[in-house]
Amino acid sequence: MGLEVRQVGPGFAAEIGGIRLSGALSDAEIEELRQVWMENKVAILHDQHLSDQDLLAFTTRMGPLFVHVCSMFHSPEYPEIMFVSNLKEEGRPLGSLGDGDLGWHTDQCYTPRPCWATLLYGIEIPEDGGNTYFADLAAAYDRMPADLRKAAEGKRVVYSVLAETVSKKSPITAEQRARTPDVTQPLIRTHPYLGRKAIYASPNHYVQMEGMPKEEGDALFRRLAEWIGRDEFVYSHRWRVGDVVFWDNTSVVHRRDAFPPAQRRFLKRTGFQLPEELAVPF
Ligand SMILES: [Fe+2]
């Protein structure tokens, strides 16, 4: 198909041109896009014009659709589309996250089979702030100090949806909590297709290190969290209307800036899963 690929982050994150996601894409085109995306971890496509049907059709081509537990922010027509916004409708938030900032995390690591990719489509973008930051955790793994790597190898981490809802200030219901008990995940994760390793750490969802004294485990995780946020691993995405950005949650963490409450931000979010046999992080 001849994708135009231009890396915009330090060794990862690529703008991809020459493709309209609303068009009819062949299997070969989808596979080429998937490969470029996996190698670059974050795909950025500008100037896309997508109906909800287009958005869902494309996401479905990439993998089984993910449905977020926070059903209050689902699109009324399509539960597979979630709104991320500070807008309100009759006083009620239309989407999740409001206008605040959000710390480093990887999506749905508090579930046994986390979302593989998260996709955001920019409809309304504030003038100031609201950037999304990505950190390359394969590079962070490759360049880890030897003692940190030794301490991290083979460890597992307990994560909780409650930690996230506290950070997002958006409480979940008892029924939603019952469906999302705490889980443990490996601290070092192997990419299911590329075979390389990456750190798999989600500071926003962290509860404790499994099987370690609390203080010792917290100190290790804190050191790791500082390591992955170093500038050398980070790309900052400044949003434009029409941007589609999707990222590989096995290989990056992301966070975002706050923005002025008076400015409007409205994004549509979808996600897709790994196939069942590869969905549990290893
Ligand atoms: Fe997220």
Side-chain angles (χ1 to χ4, degrees):
M1 154 171 54
L3 293 175
E4 299 147 21
V5 182
R6 189 173 79 92
Q7 215 167 61
V8 289
F12 80 115
E15 287 180 341
I16 301 174
I19 182 167
R20 291 237 148 272
L21 299 184
S22 56
L25 298 170
S26 68
D27 288 348
E29 287 170 327
I30 288 288
E31 283 319 306
E32 184 184 353
L33 178 61
R34 183 197 307 280
Q35 196 62 31
V36 168
W37 163 64
M38 288 197 302
E39 284 163 8
N40 286 281
K41 306 176 184 88
V42 181
I44 301 148
L45 291 85
H46 298 299
D47 304 318
Q48 300 293 318
H49 301 275
L50 302 175
S51 66
D52 287 353
Q53 291 91 335
D54 293 335
L55 183 58
L56 286 177
F58 170 69
T59 310
T60 305
R61 295 291 298 282
M62 296 296 285
L65 279 178
F66 168 81
V67 180
H68 200 284
V69 67
C70 291
S71 49
M72 60 283 209
F73 301 131
H74 289 172
S75 150
E77 290 89 22
Y78 302 102
E80 303 88 352
I81 296 177
M82 184 178 173
F83 296 154
V84 176
S85 184
N86 64 326
L87 303 182
K88 292 191 173 170
E89 233 175 30
E90 294 163 8
R92 179 187 150 273
L94 187 66
S96 75
L97 301 184
D99 52 38
D101 63 349
L102 190 64
W104 289 119
H105 66 283
T106 173
D107 286 333
Q108 285 77 51
C109 70
Y110 51 82
T111 62
R113 290 168 174 75
C115 183
W116 182 18
T118 309
L119 182 153
L120 289 176
Y121 174 40
I123 313 283
E124 291 188 74
I125 303 298
E127 282 284 304
D128 312 295
N131 280 20
T132 305
Y133 296 74
F134 299 94
D136 178 351
L137 299 195
Y141 173 79
D142 288 343
R143 290 177 225 157
M144 260 168 126
D147 66 321
L148 184 57
R149 180 184 298 207
K150 189 157 174 271
E153 211 74 65
K155 295 287 195 311
R156 293 186 68 84
V157 192
V158 181
Y159 292 115
S160 172
V161 69
L162 290 185
E164 168 173 85
T165 52
V166 167
S167 72
K168 285 184 180 173
K169 303 174 195 72
S170 54
I172 56 170
T173 64
E175 184 269 332
Q176 287 164 342
R177 168 59 175 162
R179 283 196 283 134
T180 45
D182 294 357
V183 298
T184 70
Q185 302 286 7
L187 188 52
I188 308 295
R189 180 173 187 176
T190 303
H191 193 280
Y193 293 105
L194 304 178
R196 54 134 179 80
K197 290 182 175 181
I199 297 169
Y200 187 57
S202 192
N204 251 26
H205 304 116
Y206 174 80
V207 177
Q208 63 184 75
M209 298 294 299
E210 188 180 56
M212 286 181 79
K214 182 85 173 94
E215 266 184 38
E216 192 187 325
D218 289 357
L220 170 61
F221 194 85
R222 206 175 314 123
R223 191 176 159 209
L224 203 84
E226 283 166 14
W227 175 254
I228 64 182
R230 289 163 68 105
D231 285 348
E232 64 182 291
F233 305 129
V234 174
Y235 162 68
S236 167
H237 184 67
R238 171 96 196 103
W239 284 90
R240 298 188 217 162
V241 171
D243 279 357
V244 167
V245 177
F246 59 101
W247 61 89
D248 183 342
N249 282 304
T250 73
S251 307
V252 296
V253 277
H254 56 285
R255 69 175 183 85
R256 77 162 214 200
D257 276 345
F259 57 94
Q263 297 184 15
R264 298 166 65 93
R265 190 178 194 262
F266 181 52
L267 303 128
K268 290 182 180 176
R269 169 187 160 144
T270 59
F272 56 91
Q273 305 274 45
L274 282 159
E276 188 67 21
E277 66 276 14
L278 295 171
V280 175
F282 55 90

